[in-house]
Amino acid sequence: MSKRALITGITGQDGSYLAELLLAKGYHVVGMLRRSSTVNFERIGHLQDDLELVSGDLLDEASMIQVLRAHQPEEVYNLAAQSFVQTSFTQPVLTGETTALGVTRLLDAVRMVDPGIRLYQASSSEMFGKVVEVPQSESTPFHPRSPYGVAKVYGHWITVNYRESYGMHTNSGILFNHESPRRGLEFVTRKIANGVARIKLGLDTTIALGNLEAQRDWGFAGDYVDAMWRMLQQPTPGDFVVATGETHSVREFCELAFGHVDLDWSDHVVIDERFFRPAEVDLLVGDPSQARDVLGWTPRTGFRELVEMMVDADLDAVARQQRHLA
Ligand code: NAP
Ligand code: G4F
């Protein structure tokens, strides 16, 4: 009989890649969706016939108890969150309800329905914030710099707490930034890739950005979901940093992305104060040694390959839209 997995956040970037991975491994995949007035299946449309989609919300514990009772998964991947750092400054309470307390609601639902379920919690390098050491590992202290980062620290510790209090197989993946052509348009990498495509195809002339000096450890989302799955296959649960170990600035991302289509980034990027944050995370770079040694996980996609993959995908998508409108 095939294994059963529940993914929260199935409509998001990581949800779509994880669903593809689990389906390829023969899992029965149940995806939890929150109610919305319009269908939001851009990333999972191609999988729709292979997934079982069910209704539930991290804000509503009873909805998750019902989903767990009805579908009896052996593995739960909690990818749902208010995941955009900038929005967490303007909606800190909603961010806390979803990204922090939502984890407790789900953990409690799992504990009540079947404490033998293995759970993955999507923790974040944003928890390291104002970093106290470089690179950051599982033992680096946290100093979050946004309401989102604070909420993720809570989600991380409540995951550890349910492991220690109830002996549950709860895992926290401390994932550094991971991107793809399916990344939301508000995040800087996709904003740049999409902007480059629109400029190259004559639809725009500039992109407005904030802090170009911010540095991130950027990997490919398709590689990172494999680390999530590997955590739940271990005999004992744990916390794992998942990263490339390389860091690059937003400026370098621009140079490569514009360079890929023979444009000079400095002719097209304008700085806009609106995209600066009240408190910034300047330098994130992870040490993924434990993921390599225990999980046998290593990233496969390099930085240049990632940038070019994203620009090429947006060139295709924007050209398709142009043909459609013509
Ligand atoms: P994403 O694309 O923003 O997806 C977030 C998902 O959460 C969406 O499916 C969204 O549904 C769902 N969601 C939001 N509020 C919900 C609620 N109240 N109840 C149920 N579902 C809700 O994020 P992602 O990039 O795939 O990231 C996945 C997870 O990893 C998130 O928890 C994120 O914080 C974390 N993380 C991401 C990164 C990264 O670099 N991508 C790094 C570290 C950690 P709708 O489609 O309805 O909005
Ligand atoms: O792409 P970003 O919005 O991602 P950020 O804030 O690092 O958060 C992402 O990664 C976290 C992991 O560390 C996840 F937990 C989180 O859910 C999310 O997926 O911004 C990256 C950097 C920031 O320093 C920001 O100030 O890019 C800088 N930036 C410069 N101009 C910009 C812009 N960010 C955005 N979104 N838009 C800009 O115009």
Side-chain angles (χ1 to χ4, degrees), residues 160-230:
V160 173
N161 182 261
Y162 272 57
R163 183 195 307 157
E164 293 176 351
S165 301
Y166 306 116
M168 288 164 60
H169 198 295
T170 58
N171 298 267
S172 174
I174 306 174
L175 270 55
F176 282 61
N177 298 50
H178 44 281
E179 319 293 315
S180 74
R182 299 182 198 166
R183 187 58 141 150
L185 280 164
E186 67 275 37
F187 297 93
V188 76
T189 56
R190 181 76 197 289
K191 183 173 172 181
I192 297 168
N194 183 257
V196 166
R198 291 180 62 81
I199 292 168
K200 184 69 185 174
L201 295 173
L203 295 175
D204 280 330
T205 52
T206 57
I207 316 176
L209 295 176
N211 181 7
L212 299 186
E213 307 316 324
Q215 288 176 271
R216 289 291 185 276
D217 178 333
W218 277 300
F220 172 50
D223 294 346
Y224 283 37
V225 295
D226 177 48
M228 300 175 185
W229 174 76
R230 287 173 186 251

Side-chain angles (χ1 to χ4, degrees), residues 69-104:
R69 278 195 187 135
H71 299 281
Q72 303 183 357
E74 285 124 310
E75 297 175 6
V76 171
Y77 295 85
N78 183 33
L79 308 186
Q82 192 301 96
S83 75
F84 189 41
V85 171
Q86 189 102 35
T87 294
S88 78
F89 285 103
T90 52
Q91 299 181 13
V93 174
L94 176 76
T95 302
E97 283 289 353
T98 309
T99 305
L101 279 177
V103 187
T104 308

Side-chain angles (χ1 to χ4, degrees), residues 228-301:
M228 300 175 185
W229 174 76
R230 287 173 186 251
M231 284 177 218
L232 298 207
Q233 312 317 307
Q234 300 307 306
T236 49
D239 308 323
F240 293 92
V241 161
V242 178
T244 69
E246 264 183 46
T247 193
H248 298 274
S249 64
V250 173
R251 184 188 298 273
E252 277 176 83
F253 197 104
C254 289
E255 278 167 9
L256 278 183
F258 279 95
H260 185 50
V261 296
D262 302 319
L263 293 174
D264 182 340
W265 72 277
S266 61
D267 294 335
H268 301 283
V269 172
V270 295
I271 301 303
D272 187 329
E273 290 300 318
R274 283 179 305 152
F275 298 112
F276 283 80
R277 295 174 181 179
E280 178 61 288
V281 171
D282 288 321
L283 169 61
L284 289 179
V285 56
D287 171 5
S289 329
Q290 190 165 299
R292 184 192 58 223
D293 298 346
V294 178
L295 305 178
W297 179 86
T298 47
R300 284 169 296 177
T301 312

